Amino acid sequence: MAENKTQPSATSASEFIASIENPTRRADAETMLAMMQRITGWQPRMWGPSIIGFGEYHYKYESGREGDFMRTGFSPRKANLVLYIMPGYADYSDKLARLGKHKIGKSCLYINKLADIDMAVLEEIIEAGLDDMARKYPL
């Protein structure tokens, strides 16, 4: 049975953010940390060396693969700020159209900097992702 390669680490999210060299990326990470703590009500937890996650759920696929992972989170990477909206973006087209400059992957939202987007819409997207996760993986 294969497990998720990205596991929680003992690193402090605040210490990790303080170590970010780019001042804009660091400030955006501080903003995201405060926003996600406020929205989720959960304390941040580092997943691997660079992902700040909130909440946790247990998944089990038909293939037998299972594990634990964050419900939502973000990573202030060098190229962009990555937000993890775990259920993906199937029904978010209206919100994404109002967000501003971004790119998407399966469960990732890529933002160059927070100044490029509408923060209220970003909150809507994070909340919608958490609602979707609660339906699929009840707390």
Side-chain angles (χ1 to χ4, degrees):
M1 161 178 56
E3 288 191 18
N4 191 339
K5 291 180 189 176
T6 305
Q7 296 292 320
S9 72
T11 306
S12 154
S14 296
E15 289 174 12
F16 168 69
I17 290 172
S19 73
I20 298 169
E21 292 181 18
N22 181 297
T24 301
R25 187 76 67 229
R26 185 173 54 251
D28 284 355
E30 290 168 349
T31 298
M32 287 305 308
L33 181 70
M35 176 191 283
M36 285 196 161
Q37 278 187 279
R38 179 177 46 77
I39 290 170
T40 67
W42 297 317
Q43 290 300 310
R45 184 177 193 186
M46 292 298 298
W47 287 81
S50 63
I51 299 173
I52 300 169
F54 296 84
E56 191 170 317
Y57 71 102
H58 184 79
Y59 62 86
K60 185 172 185 177
Y61 299 134
E62 288 181 21
S63 67
R65 178 184 168 129
E66 66 180 292
D68 298 304
F69 205 52
M70 65 187 170
R71 286 186 174 261
T72 192
F74 70 97
S75 182
R77 301 187 188 255
K78 287 187 187 225
N80 43 41
L81 183 64
V82 181
L83 278 75
Y84 298 94
I85 308 297
M86 299 316 296
Y89 299 96
D91 300 324
Y92 297 2
S93 57
D94 62 324
K95 292 173 182 59
L96 291 170
R98 296 183 290 119
L99 180 61
K101 187 178 176 182
H102 70 278
K103 293 179 183 177
I104 59 171
K106 184 175 181 183
S107 293
C108 299
L109 177 63
Y110 301 94
I111 299 166
N112 186 36
K113 58 187 177 298
L114 293 180
D116 292 341
I117 61 161
D118 184 321
M119 294 296 287
V121 175
L122 181 61
E123 285 194 37
E124 288 178 35
I125 291 169
I126 294 167
E127 289 168 351
L130 288 167
D131 289 346
D132 288 347
M133 286 296 291
R135 280 190 289 282
K136 188 169 183 175
Y137 300 99
L139 293 170

